[in-house]
Amino acid sequence: DVKVTQSSRYLVKRTGEKVFLECVQDMDHENMFWYRQDPGLGLRLIYFSYDVKMKEKGDIPEGYSVSREKKERFSLILESASTNQTSMYLCASSFPPQLSDTQYFGPGTRLTVL
Amino acid sequence: LAKTTQPISMDSYEGQEVNITCSHNNIATNDYITWYQQFPSQGPRFIIQGYKTKVTNEVASLFIPADRKSSTLSLPRVSLSDTAVYYCLVDPWRGTGFQKLVFGTGTRLLVSP
């Protein structure tokens, strides 16, 4: 079974703090993704990565950066957290040998910025 | 971007068939349609994927008309454990263009006894 783990289930930070969200997958997947999920807006893609050291912007990258130094690990960084970044953050990974990808999601990190 | 539109919520009873429709008018030729299920406090989980016509697996069926501007997820004989949020996703072929990944806002299905 594919396992995607996220470093924290709940996180509370203050405005202006630097925040790191970690995601680890154990299936040697090439692709990894970060989403945020907000009521009424569904899931929105922040960043994704095709491979180590590679990253691409998704739909809403502003205010975020990412790091992928190892294949199994994909980090989301909030350089200076703001209250509008309070959200549920979901990490996913996929390996596409077939026609299209199936994404495997972690349990999510609920981040509150005060 | 291929924006998707789904009903916000649906109600059903145990044992009934539930059909959830998603519209995706701007779907591209190479895009697939994928549906995910999400329970509270969990990440979404893959249910089914298709390109056209009908796809069936042990959990659900997916109907896609010839123009591919919509798709319908069909859950046969739902149970209480099917209460969840269902997301429709327009999925770029072979992972090309993840920038185009667009999840719908989800349909909250409530199954009652």
Side-chain angles (χ1 to χ4, degrees), chain B residues 26-80:
Chain B
N26 296 326
I27 190 168
T29 302
N30 291 336
D31 290 340
Y32 277 70
I33 297 119
T34 310
W35 284 80
Y36 287 81
Q37 175 191 55
Q38 186 178 25
F39 297 113
S41 301
Q42 294 184 24
R45 184 181 70 168
F46 172 88
I47 302 176
I48 197 166
Q49 182 180 78
Y51 182 79
K52 60 181 179 181
T53 63
K54 179 182 174 181
V55 178
T56 298
N57 62 21
E58 64 278 3
V59 175
S61 295
L62 178 59
F63 299 91
I64 305 168
D67 67 5
R68 301 194 339 115
K69 293 184 184 298
S70 66
S71 58
T72 299
L73 174 72
S74 181
L75 304 172
R77 300 180 60 78
V78 294
S79 64
L80 297 178

Side-chain angles (χ1 to χ4, degrees), chain A:
Chain A
D1 247 9
V2 176
K3 193 155 187 189
V4 179
T5 56
Q6 296 183 228
S7 51
S8 307
R9 291 302 301 270
Y10 300 93
L11 209 52
V12 180
K13 295 292 182 181
R14 296 207 174 272
T15 302
E17 279 193 79
K18 190 168 186 175
V19 181
F20 292 88
L21 302 182
E22 300 281 330
C23 175
V24 178
Q25 50 95 1
D26 67 357
M27 283 301 291
D28 202 35
H29 283 175
E30 293 176 355
N31 305 322
M32 295 189 76
F33 309 82
W34 275 106
Y35 294 88
R36 63 177 283 176
Q37 183 174 32
D38 300 289
L41 296 176
L43 280 81
R44 293 179 292 166
L45 182 63
I46 305 172
Y47 267 97
F48 60 94
S49 169
Y50 289 108
D51 204 345
V52 176
K53 304 268 187 204
M54 296 184 69
K55 58 186 179 184
E56 297 283 347
K57 294 179 180 178
D59 219 13
I60 51 163
E62 296 78 22
Y64 304 94
S65 62
V66 290
S67 171
R68 187 143 181 225
E69 297 296 319
K70 293 185 178 181
K71 193 172 186 178
E72 68 272 16
R73 189 178 297 269
F74 192 34
S75 302
L76 180 69
I77 303 155
L78 288 66
E79 293 289 342
S80 178
S82 63
T83 55
N84 62 13
Q85 292 178 310
T86 292
S87 185
M88 170 69 83
Y89 290 88
L90 289 159
C91 174
S93 71
S94 72
F95 179 67
Q98 298 92 12
L99 294 174
S100 190
D101 297 311
T102 297
Q103 294 187 47
Y104 296 87
F105 284 83
T109 296
R110 186 167 294 282
L111 172 67
T112 301
V113 182
L114 302 175

